[in-house]
Amino acid sequence: MKRSYFTAFCLLLLCSVSVLKAQDVYQPGYVILNDGIRLSGTIILYANSPWLNQQHIFLKDSAAVAANPNGDVKPKKYKTGDIKYYQVGDRKFDKVHYVESSDLHFRILGSNDHMLERLTAGRIASYRYYSYPPDMDTFTGSYEDYEKRKTHELLAGYKILARKDNDGKYHDILNDGIKDYLKDAPDIMKKYDDGTYGNEPSASGKGLMAKMIARAKKTTFKQQEADAIVAAFNEFNQEYPAKK
């Protein structure tokens, strides 16, 4: 029997908060506010629900922690609209404007700004983007099974967004391909086609069946494909920097 996701929302929220709180780990980091002010302290990164990292951060100010090292320092919440950059350890997050037209949500309409983890910087800028849980949904079976399935889909369904030379909008390169990004770097494109970066070699010029198998492998080994694209982009940014 189908049940409404909305009717279970309040219960889900309470359960999710309790679970996430038990898993929260504050790590050293800092945030740059829109007015340029830098605040240092410790920040939470959500590993099991990384889309939350795109919407807000909780920061415990370093001065407050130093003044009360053994006490319970209350963190302050900063939303995407408050900040333009933050860093936790060696992971960097920039504010990126991206409209996921196939997956709009009431809570982000009117903004479409997200704090996305930076993967490459230079002529080709790229970021990892996670879709958000649906505002409303239906499901069959137990809610626990639904939640596990939906979380798995969101974690596995991330996008790699890229833009070259600050030109135009960001595009999902795992779906669109990277040929246009490397057209002025044939040496790097060839290495990618050959599978040098650990990716599945391209099936250009082969039969339809071979191309279908190669595409299936790219989907199955998505993380390896993403890592290979990032490696190729990093090499491009190093070898083909912007002209001064």
Side-chain angles (χ1 to χ4, degrees):
M1 180 180 66
K2 290 189 174 182
R3 304 176 184 178
S4 169
Y5 179 91
F6 182 77
T7 58
F9 179 77
C10 292
L11 179 59
L12 165 63
L13 183 61
L14 291 174
C15 294
S16 299
V17 169
S18 62
V19 171
L20 288 174
K21 187 174 182 180
Q23 298 173 344
D24 290 351
V25 177
Y26 282 89
Q27 306 173 58
Y30 66 93
V31 58
I32 304 295
L33 302 181
N34 286 330
D35 57 7
I37 293 177
R38 169 173 170 155
L39 301 174
S40 298
T42 55
I43 300 173
I44 293 175
L45 284 183
Y46 298 101
N48 296 322
S49 49
W51 44 89
L52 294 178
N53 302 325
Q54 301 174 173
Q55 295 180 299
H56 61 257
I57 62 170
F58 283 96
L59 179 140
K60 292 184 178 182
D61 187 86
S62 56
V65 173
N68 192 15
N70 298 319
D72 185 16
V73 176
K74 185 177 181 179
K76 183 174 181 179
K77 182 178 182 179
Y78 295 92
K79 296 182 180 180
T80 299
D82 304 320
I83 59 183
K84 60 181 179 181
Y85 173 85
Y86 74 89
Q87 181 169 339
V88 181
D90 59 357
R91 298 175 65 182
K92 303 175 175 65
F93 294 78
D94 297 314
K95 184 183 292 186
V96 175
H97 186 80
Y98 175 68
V99 180
E100 189 175 19
S101 57
S102 62
D103 190 29
L104 294 176
H105 295 276
F106 292 119
R107 61 178 170 274
I108 60 174
L109 286 175
S111 171
N112 291 305
D113 287 338
H114 321 271
M115 299 306 301
L116 302 186
E117 182 174 7
R118 183 195 303 172
L119 301 178
T120 64
R123 288 184 59 195
I124 301 178
S126 63
Y127 298 89
R128 190 187 310 274
Y129 172 85
Y130 289 92
S131 297
Y132 297 92
D135 294 307
M136 298 187 68
D137 203 354
T138 57
F139 63 93
T140 57
S142 71
Y143 183 77
E144 182 180 9
D145 289 341
Y146 165 82
E147 180 67 5
K148 289 180 180 179
R149 183 175 70 253
K150 179 57 65 176
T151 299
H152 173 76
E153 290 173 355
L154 292 171
L155 289 173
Y158 65 82
K159 295 176 172 62
I160 302 297
L161 306 180
R163 185 174 70 174
K164 185 176 180 180
D165 295 327
N166 294 318
D167 184 22
K169 301 177 181 179
Y170 286 93
H171 295 278
D172 175 18
I173 56 173
L174 287 173
N175 182 57
D176 297 341
I178 67 172
K179 185 175 180 179
D180 288 342
Y181 294 85
L182 300 178
K183 59 185 178 182
D184 52 347
D187 54 330
I188 298 177
M189 189 70 231
K190 184 178 186 307
K191 290 170 67 175
Y192 174 80
D193 285 338
D194 292 342
T196 304
Y197 300 106
N199 56 299
E200 178 66 19
S202 300
S204 178
K206 298 181 181 180
L208 178 60
M209 182 58 69
K211 291 182 179 180
M212 291 176 63
I213 293 174
R215 185 173 184 84
K217 287 183 177 180
K218 286 178 180 291
T219 301
T220 302
F221 301 103
K222 180 177 181 177
Q223 187 57 55
Q224 291 92 317
E225 183 70 17
D227 291 342
I229 290 173
V230 170
F233 283 178
N234 275 325
E235 185 169 349
F236 175 89
N237 288 334
Q238 182 177 359
E239 298 296 328
Y240 297 87
K243 296 181 180 179
K244 297 182 180 180

